[in-house]
Amino acid sequence: AAGVIQSPRHLIKEKRETATLKCYPIPRHDTVYWYQQGPGQDPQFLISFYEKMQSDKGSIPDRFSAQQFSDYHSELNMSSLELGDSALYFCASSATNGYGYTFGSGTRLTVV
Amino acid sequence: SQQGEEDPQALSIQEGENATMNCSYKTSINNLQWYRQNSGRGLVHLILIRSNEREKHSGRLRVTLDTSKKSSSLLITASRAADTASYFCATGKGNQFYFGTGTSLTVIP
């Protein structure tokens, strides 16, 4: 069965650069969530989208933005990258009447 | 914050023993979920228990929920070395959910 696809798997950027992470949810899933997990830390909710509209916002820095497109895939854009942005970024998707949430394998971002 | 907190933070057991992890949360929830994460890998959904349920089973997993105490437990029976991972509880209400700090489980062969 198709899972949540995230790309790229790994990304190395320099400070002050911009990064774009992509997430392709499970077909027919209408909600996408983004999480950030720093080294040795629990995942922190960043932002979510339902039917292409932002539905909830967590601890997402102003330097980050995200959107969900007509095909339901989502992109997380991060600008003016800082060393502290180095983390594993997870995307999850769910269906309104679904059961639980399915996570992608994550994108490991390293800022040097 | 609705954030769940697990205890213990780390647990080491022998293969074949049972492992019990607990999670406490602060506010009302619609459901509580348990996830597993192998080191540096993605989060895998294990089980969801709704706020009106008290116990749920899935294979070697048993989850309990006590909404009066705002706590949940995850029991893994007859543990295997492959169960070595971090286990997180996540509490959900509305359109987002929050993860706890996780329990790092090591099963020694």
Side-chain angles (χ1 to χ4, degrees):
Chain A
V4 175
I5 307 297
Q6 287 187 248
S7 68
R9 292 293 302 275
H10 302 275
L11 188 59
I12 299 175
K13 290 285 185 178
E14 294 188 356
K15 282 196 306 183
R16 293 179 288 278
E17 284 193 320
T18 297
T20 298
L21 309 186
K22 296 184 179 183
C23 169
Y24 296 86
I26 288 176
R28 292 181 294 281
H29 277 194
D30 49 23
T31 307
V32 170
Y33 312 78
W34 284 97
Y35 285 79
Q36 176 193 57
Q37 186 178 28
Q41 298 181 13
D42 53 291
Q44 296 289 328
F45 172 73
L46 293 178
I47 195 167
S48 63
F49 292 88
Y50 169 69
E51 284 292 342
K52 291 153 281 183
M53 299 287 290
Q54 180 183 308
S55 55
D56 229 329
K57 197 170 181 179
S59 52
I60 184 169
D62 292 339
R63 298 177 290 107
F64 293 7
S65 65
Q67 57 181 323
Q68 187 178 32
F69 295 86
S70 57
D71 64 352
Y72 292 97
H73 94 272
S74 178
E75 295 184 3
L76 177 66
N77 299 292
M78 299 176 283
S79 61
S80 302
L81 288 170
E82 301 172 357
L83 296 179
D85 296 329
S86 295
L88 200 52
Y89 290 83
F90 288 106
C91 167
S93 72
S94 69
T96 304
N97 299 317
Y99 181 86
Y101 306 82
T102 303
F103 279 82
S105 297
T107 293
R108 183 168 294 283
L109 171 67
T110 303
V111 182
V112 297
Chain B
S1 161
Q2 296 188 83
Q3 192 166 22
E5 297 180 0
E6 288 94 344
D7 83 274
Q9 289 193 354
L11 181 61
S12 184
I13 59 174
Q14 295 288 329
E15 198 167 33
E17 293 181 335
N18 295 343
T20 300
M21 290 160 269
N22 303 297
C23 166
S24 61
Y25 56 93
K26 296 180 181 177
T27 61
S28 63
I29 59 172
N30 290 340
N31 60 70
L32 185 145
Q33 304 174 60
W34 284 91
Y35 286 82
R36 165 202 168 112
Q37 184 182 35
N38 287 74
S39 180
R41 304 288 292 277
L43 290 149
V44 176
H45 181 262
L46 295 177
I47 197 165
L48 179 151
I49 186 165
R50 301 187 193 280
S51 58
N52 61 353
E53 297 176 310
R54 292 296 169 258
E55 187 171 313
K56 206 160 186 179
H57 297 253
S58 176
R60 293 183 297 112
L61 305 180
R62 182 169 78 93
V63 169
T64 63
L65 178 64
D66 187 336
T67 53
S68 66
K69 295 180 180 178
K70 291 187 170 56
S71 68
S72 173
S73 68
L74 171 68
L75 168 67
I76 303 175
T77 60
S79 64
R80 305 166 182 168
D83 294 329
T84 294
S86 290
Y87 292 82
F88 293 91
C89 74
T91 52
K93 187 166 187 179
N95 213 17
Q96 63 175 286
F97 49 108
Y98 296 93
F99 286 86
T101 50
T103 292
S104 176
L105 173 66
T106 302
V107 181
I108 303 166

